[in-house]
Amino acid sequence: MNKVSVVILNWNGADMLRRFLPSVLICSAGDGVEVCVADNGSSDDSCRMLEQEFPAVRLIRLDRNYGFADGYNKAFEHVDAEYVVLLNSDVEVAPGWLAPMVKYMDVHPEVAACQPKLLDWKRKEYFEYAGAAGGFIDRYGYPFCRGRIFEVVEKDKGQYDAPVSVFWATGAALFIRLDKYREVGGLDGRFFAHMEEIDLCWRLRSRGYKLVCLPESVAWHVGGATLKKENPRKTFLNFRNNLLMLYKNLPPEELRPVMRVRACLDYVAACVFLLKGDWANFRAVIQARKEYARLRPQFKADRQENLDKAVGFNVSGRFPFSILWQSKLLGHKKYSDLPLK
């Protein structure tokens, strides 16, 4: 058994692998550490390139594109390690990035997963949208981070360099105990992509495990390498999967009131797209709500299992306020501006 398996999921990303895989190999070298690439049925020359240019990397060939969620579930069937890292193919890592996470997890068995500080590869002094210095959600399921609220991304001035308990850890560089990943069912493959790591983290948190951000470990993420921001497909997946995540995990007394408010907020978002003349994203939001209504019965058993296995619903990191209200109406653009106590 390896101590750590760093697993990069790839789909037609030969150029990304050429650019970023060398830093992962150099900075992850150590006893008991392996670097794997799980290929999601690529049609480019990714596999041939890996075999010829990166023979030290273990190649896991999947027979088709399973998406981000099931792609990792399938890949981990071929992995035997205490810890695994879900690492995007467009991430550069700092020297020694694994050591702080291994050290912390080894002495904190109550912690199921952690993440490094995630910075923007294009503007390296800024946090990166997809995870920054640790993730949280508001009452209505909207995610935000230390260092990022909606479109406002902060400059890293060391203001979030203290380790902190978080509600969710970024899927761009998620360090997790493999047995805990499997215990809670892994990523939900029905999500395909987007929101799946927050859903996974919610299950871990509700079952009593902790998650942390360890800023001593650093990585830089390109972001948007697969689907650009406000791509209609990304909009559809984010809205649909967020609703499914809420349905799967919300406490019974919150389900109806939260979902009523979310319906209003989603239609407001659709109208904003419409007023901008963005018909594609308007349709994506409407279609996401229709698809959520169609799929919801298929998730009833998952919801019941999550409720049955929860050790408590008052999970820290899920805040009772609306981040939309705090940010858009009250002008609280930074994590440090929020009423967190």
Side-chain angles (χ1 to χ4, degrees), residues 147-204:
R148 190 273 295 175
I149 296 178
F150 292 117
E151 70 280 359
V152 178
V153 179
E154 295 180 51
K155 191 172 185 178
D156 177 23
K157 301 177 181 179
Q159 68 272 42
Y160 303 124
D161 274 357
V164 67
S165 177
V166 298
F167 185 85
W168 59 272
T170 177
L174 177 60
F175 187 105
I176 187 169
R177 299 181 192 274
L178 183 55
D179 61 341
K180 300 298 183 267
Y181 180 95
R182 289 169 172 162
E183 178 185 319
V184 300
L187 296 168
D188 192 327
R190 294 165 295 183
F191 281 32
F192 190 77
H194 299 293
M195 296 288 168
E196 66 283 274
E197 80 267 38
I198 305 180
D199 171 64
L200 170 66
C201 291
W202 198 336
R203 278 178 275 139
L204 288 165

Side-chain angles (χ1 to χ4, degrees), residues 97-291:
W97 73 294
L98 288 176
M101 296 190 287
V102 171
K103 181 179 178 181
Y104 189 92
M105 297 283 280
D106 278 351
V107 298
H108 291 88
E110 75 282 6
V111 176
C114 63
Q115 69 158 82
K117 176 166 66 175
L118 195 65
L119 300 175
D120 190 334
W121 186 80
K122 297 180 290 294
R123 301 187 304 164
K124 292 194 174 184
E125 71 274 22
Y126 284 84
F127 289 102
E128 207 281 317
Y129 186 94
F136 307 89
I137 63 171
D138 75 349
R139 175 173 169 79
Y140 303 106
Y142 291 92
F144 59 97
C145 304
R146 289 199 308 172
R148 190 273 295 175
I149 296 178
F150 292 117
E151 70 280 359
V152 178
V153 179
E154 295 180 51
K155 191 172 185 178
D156 177 23
K157 301 177 181 179
Q159 68 272 42
Y160 303 124
D161 274 357
V164 67
S165 177
V166 298
F167 185 85
W168 59 272
T170 177
L174 177 60
F175 187 105
I176 187 169
R177 299 181 192 274
L178 183 55
D179 61 341
K180 300 298 183 267
Y181 180 95
R182 289 169 172 162
E183 178 185 319
V184 300
L187 296 168
D188 192 327
R190 294 165 295 183
F191 281 32
F192 190 77
H194 299 293
M195 296 288 168
E196 66 283 274
E197 80 267 38
I198 305 180
D199 171 64
L200 170 66
C201 291
W202 198 336
R203 278 178 275 139
L204 288 165
R205 294 304 313 274
S206 68
R207 297 180 196 189
Y209 298 113
K210 295 181 179 180
L211 293 88
V212 298
C213 174
L214 299 172
E216 184 181 351
S217 175
V218 179
W220 295 269
H221 184 213
V222 173
T226 304
L227 291 176
K228 302 300 182 184
K229 187 178 180 182
E230 292 195 355
N231 176 290
R233 175 64 174 168
K234 185 172 185 176
T235 299
F236 168 79
L237 290 170
N238 271 321
F239 275 80
R240 184 199 67 175
N241 292 350
N242 191 273
L243 292 169
L244 291 170
M245 176 186 71
L246 288 170
Y247 176 72
K248 287 177 65 178
N249 296 287
L250 277 173
E253 67 275 10
E254 290 193 60
L255 182 61
R256 287 185 178 180
V258 166
M259 294 311 250
R260 281 197 294 264
V261 173
R262 268 304 301 268
C264 295
L265 294 173
D266 287 354
Y267 286 119
V268 168
C271 289
V272 170
F273 282 126
L274 188 60
L275 290 172
K276 292 179 179 178
D278 190 344
W279 286 90
N281 277 299
F282 167 78
R283 287 191 293 268
V285 176
I286 301 303
Q287 186 58 41
R289 290 207 57 88
K290 290 180 178 178
E291 186 72 357

Side-chain angles (χ1 to χ4, degrees), residues 10-14 38-47 62 64-65:
N10 172 69
W11 182 70
N12 290 341
D39 186 75
N40 235 346
S42 293
S43 57
D44 68 356
D45 67 341
S46 293
C47 291
L62 304 179
R64 61 182 176 85
N65 183 7

